[in-house]
Amino acid sequence: MSLLDGLLGQTGTNVDLKNLGQHVGLSPEQVEAAVAALAKAHPQPGDTVAQAAGDTGLNPDTLQQIVAQLGGEGALGHFASLLGQGGGAGGVLGALGGLFNKS
């Protein structure tokens, strides 16, 4: 189980990244990068999905499907707050920063 799977389990959404990847046509690594990018973008001003799409290069429609599978914006916000508990961008999100490429 990955770090993100463990944190997602704390949100109560019961989302498995591997199964989510199969559902949206992405590898588990791509889903991890997408979820990390969505969580990073969520507290920022602007459109969360558009920012994550820019960070990952993934299609915004695919990212919107991921948000829906995670439980919507509310669940994404809870997940983002869990990631931020490790010290913000210097904590868990900082450690996950290498999962996605900036275009």
Side-chain angles (χ1 to χ4, degrees):
M1 179 183 293
S2 75
L3 172 67
L4 291 179
D5 277 323
L7 289 173
L8 283 171
Q10 293 181 35
T11 66
T13 59
N14 297 318
V15 173
D16 176 276
L17 294 180
K18 182 178 178 184
N19 290 335
L20 176 57
Q22 291 174 345
H23 180 74
V24 297
L26 299 174
S27 71
E29 294 80 17
Q30 288 174 307
V31 173
E32 284 189 8
V35 171
L38 287 163
K40 178 183 172 194
H42 185 73
Q44 305 300 319
D47 184 87
T48 300
V49 170
Q51 289 180 32
D55 283 346
T56 62
L58 294 172
N59 182 308
D61 291 335
T62 301
L63 291 169
Q64 193 62 51
Q65 290 178 28
I66 291 171
V67 170
Q69 291 293 315
L70 292 175
E73 288 287 331
L76 182 59
H78 181 71
F79 180 68
S81 72
L82 287 172
L83 286 174
Q85 287 177 2
V92 177
L93 276 178
L96 296 173
L99 288 175
F100 50 91
N101 300 318
K102 289 200 173 219
S103 299

